[in-house]
Amino acid sequence: MILITGGHGQLGTELRHLLDEKKIEYVSTDADELDITDKEGTYKFITDMKPEIIYHCAAYTAVDKAEDEGKALDEKINVDGTRNVAEAAKAAGSTLIYISTDYVFDGTKKEGMYQVDDATNPLSEYGRTKLLGEKAVQEIMEDYYIIRTSWVFGIYGHNFIYTMQNLAKTHDRLTVVNDQFGRPTWTRTLAEFMTYVIEEKAPFGVYHLSNENSCSWYEFAKEILKDTDVEVAPVTSAEYPQKATRPQYSIMDLEKAKALGFEIPTWQEALASFLELEAKQ
């Protein structure tokens, strides 16, 4: 049996659709069915169910809100909740897949890409709690996959693409930061990798997974809106201050994932597929 936490979120919904296509049975939960911040309730739910695999997609992801009003909830979900899931998973004999983020890095790397074993140094509250979630999994579990991803977009949730498209409906000109670099990730590619590591019995540990190639947010926005008349202009992060500090450079190395034989589309290919699907909605 498979358990999905956060099954109604952007990634969880994508994963459910993929498992449906594969005709794989699962139990999907959200906060109403499984409150991961309830230690006793989580332990009972998971140890009663005894899932072979737990896809832990539940997370607090409001990056800017986490800096103040969401701070307590951020830690409660991403740290305490993950620890509760991990302890129950270990007791149930489950394999745990935990989704983490490029925000565990500070973005100051001068050359090359971030490796899975590079030093972490989160700049934001969100990055801090996701890293503590990683550490909880590593301390408690032996059978686990930690998958760090970045710049996630998908059909079933709020994301940068929808934000750009909505703004383009009411603006002739948009400004987007051109000094933060990373890799966009389509939820479909991420969900496929999450199932791939299980199917291929990949070695346990930490992986990086996003789409191939890298870009700035400005370059990403330009590609999203290339078929519109909206002008996209570059600005610096200093010109567009945000509450949470983002890493300026968070391009993660994908070689460990590719060494498993997993084929990763470029972000441009992933975006084109996304837009094609979106048009059919």
Side-chain angles (χ1 to χ4, degrees):
M1 180 59 74
I2 292 172
L3 172 64
I4 303 172
T5 70
H8 298 308
Q10 180 170 238
L11 177 59
T13 304
E14 187 78 68
L15 181 60
R16 286 192 291 110
H17 283 271
L18 178 59
L19 294 178
D20 287 341
E21 288 173 24
K22 290 173 174 282
K23 294 181 167 47
I24 296 174
E25 292 185 5
Y26 59 86
V27 171
S28 172
T29 62
D30 220 316
D32 290 342
E33 297 91 10
L34 174 60
D35 177 2
I36 62 170
T37 68
D38 174 358
K39 182 173 183 175
E40 291 182 6
T42 299
Y43 189 89
K44 183 175 190 326
F45 187 99
I46 291 175
T47 54
D48 284 353
M49 182 183 171
K50 290 185 173 55
E52 292 174 42
I53 300 149
I54 300 174
Y55 291 109
H56 183 33
C57 301
Y60 183 98
T61 58
V63 177
D64 288 309
K65 274 189 177 180
E67 291 301 307
D68 8 67
E69 71 258 38
K71 193 166 185 176
L73 186 59
D74 178 39
E75 180 148 347
K76 196 174 180 184
I77 294 171
N78 291 346
V79 185
D80 300 341
T82 296
R83 185 180 293 111
N84 294 340
V85 171
E87 288 175 349
K90 183 177 183 180
S94 310
T95 294
L96 180 64
I97 296 89
Y98 172 72
I99 306 303
S100 191
T101 174
D102 59 325
Y103 284 20
V104 300
F105 298 114
D106 61 17
T108 60
K109 197 176 178 83
K110 298 302 180 190
E111 56 183 47
M113 293 170 281
Y114 278 101
Q115 307 297 314
V116 294
D117 55 356
D118 275 350
T120 53
N121 183 34
L123 302 175
S124 64
E125 175 66 16
Y126 169 70
R128 182 186 74 84
T129 59
K130 290 301 287 183
L131 179 60
L132 288 175
E134 285 189 18
K135 290 179 176 178
V137 170
Q138 291 171 313
E139 287 165 8
I140 295 163
M141 301 286 298
E142 293 178 5
D143 298 354
Y144 69 84
Y145 299 99
I146 291 170
I147 303 174
R148 293 183 185 138
T149 191
S150 57
W151 298 22
V152 178
F153 65 92
I155 290 287
Y156 311 106
H158 301 291
N159 56 65
F160 183 72
I161 297 176
Y162 289 148
T163 298
M164 290 298 103
Q165 290 174 331
N166 288 331
L167 287 171
K169 293 173 185 175
T170 55
H171 295 72
D172 296 326
R173 183 177 186 270
L174 298 174
T175 55
V176 183
V177 293
N178 195 31
D179 58 1
Q180 294 176 21
F181 300 89
R183 295 187 190 270
T185 308
W186 186 20
T187 50
R188 178 72 186 199
T189 307
L190 179 54
E192 286 174 348
F193 183 68
M194 291 164 67
T195 60
Y196 186 87
V197 294
I198 295 295
E199 291 164 0
E200 297 297 314
K201 296 181 170 61
F204 295 124
V206 181
Y207 291 84
H208 289 168
L209 195 285
S210 56
N211 285 105
E212 275 279 22
N213 295 345
S214 58
C215 61
S216 68
W217 286 110
Y218 162 73
E219 291 166 326
F220 192 21
K222 285 274 286 185
E223 188 70 16
I224 293 164
L225 299 176
K226 68 179 181 180
D227 294 328
T228 73
D229 295 326
V230 176
E231 178 192 355
V232 182
V235 293
T236 66
S237 298
E239 293 174 90
Y240 187 74
Q242 293 174 288
K243 200 168 282 287
T245 304
R246 272 79 169 165
Q248 285 204 292
Y249 176 94
S250 62
I251 300 169
M252 297 188 294
D253 188 273
L254 307 177
E255 289 306 312
K256 188 174 178 182
K258 289 193 281 190
L260 300 176
F262 184 72
E263 294 184 11
I264 306 175
T266 66
W267 69 260
Q268 293 94 333
E269 291 168 335
L271 175 60
S273 297
F274 169 91
L275 293 173
E276 191 178 324
L277 278 174
E278 184 191 23
K280 294 175 182 176
Q281 294 290 304

